[in-house]
Amino acid sequence: MSERAYRWARDYGVYAAVLVLLLFNVLFTPHFLDASNFRTQLVQVTPVVIVALGMALVIGTQGIDLSVGSVMSLAAALVVLYLGYGWLPALAVAVLGGAVVGAAGGALVAYVGVQPIVATLALLVGVRGLANVLVPQLVEFRNPDLIALGGSSVAGVPVIVVIAAALTLVVLFLVRRSTFGRQVVAIGGNRRAAELSGLPVKRVLLTVYVISGLLAALAGVLATARLQASDPTSLGLFIELSAITAVVVGGTPLSGGRIRVVSTVMGALLMQLLSATLIKHNLPQSWTQMVQAVIILAAVYATRERGRR
């Protein structure tokens, strides 16, 4: 395949795939255009989008964060434990807990020199264990403010979708318009050269993992608010895989040095639409998994070939 074709696939492939899926569903899926269906799809994909935004920053530095699902479970545990002080203090504690976990992972990577996959894998196990100790079983709550955060709408658009859209714009600004974003990309492209250029490599790496932890914790709070219950045992399970898939399918290479924010969101939407489409047409979940595997391999192969040329 030519260089031009690879470049097109990298830049527009995920958009074309989403468009094809939308057209297919409009033509062949009953009630696909119902407002309730669109609302459901957007609400379901929101946690993945929020987590994937942080994951894109981490992968942009040539790293990985496997702890995001466990951070979601910890946030779910903390928010229900501190809900008696009010929903805002509970939210603050939960998000702070995510930042602490992110800082721990970032410190291990940046200052201790532990490989990102090893550092965050250890946190994946330990943090979920901590969450299960804090809240060992499902706990329902009736706080109206927190419930409204997960279930209310603004002009017909769910609040959690509005929050995800706002966070997308913030991360997009960081990547494209801020010095921090340029430093992240430079570190991912060539960490040694970034160090020799005087960039604050360790501080930037630490910040990236803190942001990932913050976003994962916020996703955990929003998911808990939508469910009206805290369930650290199951919340966030395997979401790290969904987030990595969204980032890779969106065109951000695992080798770092490039971050595609909007395409990451589209990658998450593509995976959500694919799963919903197969379910609506009575195909088993195993088909979804196999198709997703093919899409991931194609995305990784495309970015790998581009890097060789």
Side-chain angles (χ1 to χ4, degrees):
M1 188 180 293
S2 67
E3 175 67 21
R4 185 176 180 180
Y6 277 116
R7 192 172 301 166
W8 187 93
R10 181 198 68 193
D11 294 339
Y12 305 109
V14 66
Y15 299 95
V18 170
L19 180 60
V20 169
L21 265 181
L22 286 173
L23 290 175
F24 175 86
N25 280 287
V26 168
L27 294 174
F28 301 108
T29 303
H31 309 296
F32 178 77
L33 293 178
D34 292 354
S36 59
N37 177 61
F38 278 104
R39 180 187 177 94
T40 299
Q41 300 305 322
L42 290 175
V43 168
Q44 288 180 347
V45 79
T46 293
V48 177
V49 168
I50 295 174
V51 173
L53 291 173
M55 187 69 73
L57 292 175
V58 173
I59 291 178
T61 65
Q62 208 174 78
I64 202 79
D65 188 355
L66 300 180
S67 68
V68 289
S70 296
V71 170
M72 286 183 66
S73 70
L74 178 63
L78 291 174
V79 75
V80 76
L81 285 176
Y82 286 87
L83 201 51
Y85 296 95
W87 76 277
L88 278 176
L91 172 62
V93 170
V95 172
L96 179 61
V100 170
V101 175
L108 288 172
V109 172
Y111 293 95
V112 181
V114 179
Q115 289 291 327
I117 192 170
V118 176
T120 58
L121 180 61
L123 290 172
L124 179 153
V125 177
V127 172
R128 187 170 292 276
L130 174 60
N132 290 332
V133 169
L134 294 175
V135 179
Q137 59 187 3
L138 186 145
V139 176
E140 297 182 354
F141 57 85
R142 291 293 179 265
N143 184 283
D145 295 318
L146 188 58
I147 291 174
L149 182 66
S152 61
S153 301
V154 176
V157 180
V159 169
I160 60 175
V161 175
V162 174
I163 293 173
L167 290 172
T168 300
L169 293 177
V170 171
V171 175
L172 184 63
F173 173 81
L174 284 177
V175 171
R176 292 189 177 181
R177 301 297 181 186
S178 72
T179 300
F180 172 76
R182 290 190 287 271
Q183 290 173 340
V184 169
V185 172
I187 292 168
N190 191 322
R191 181 171 175 176
R192 180 58 179 163
E195 291 174 342
L196 293 175
S197 299
L199 295 183
V201 173
K202 294 181 179 179
R203 188 175 70 211
V204 170
L205 287 174
L206 178 65
T207 303
V208 162
Y209 282 89
V210 169
I211 293 174
S212 180
L214 284 169
L215 291 175
L218 181 58
V221 172
L222 294 176
T224 300
R226 184 169 66 87
L227 296 172
Q228 300 182 25
S230 173
D231 186 12
T233 302
S234 61
L235 184 67
L237 279 175
F238 305 119
I239 197 169
E240 59 276 357
L241 302 182
S242 299
I244 294 169
T245 299
V247 174
V248 172
V249 170
T252 298
L254 292 172
S255 56
R258 178 186 292 271
I259 303 171
R260 302 183 60 81
V261 178
V262 177
S263 295
T264 293
V265 176
M266 295 302 293
L269 289 173
L270 174 62
M271 294 297 103
Q272 174 63 33
L273 277 174
L274 176 63
S275 178
T277 299
L278 295 179
I279 290 173
K280 288 179 180 294
H281 288 270
N282 299 317
L283 291 173
Q285 181 66 21
S286 56
W287 280 82
T288 303
Q289 295 169 336
M290 288 188 290
V291 174
Q292 286 178 340
V294 172
I295 293 175
I296 293 169
L297 288 174
V300 172
Y301 179 76
T303 55
R304 176 174 176 268
E305 288 294 309
R306 182 186 60 81
R308 281 184 172 184
R309 290 173 178 268

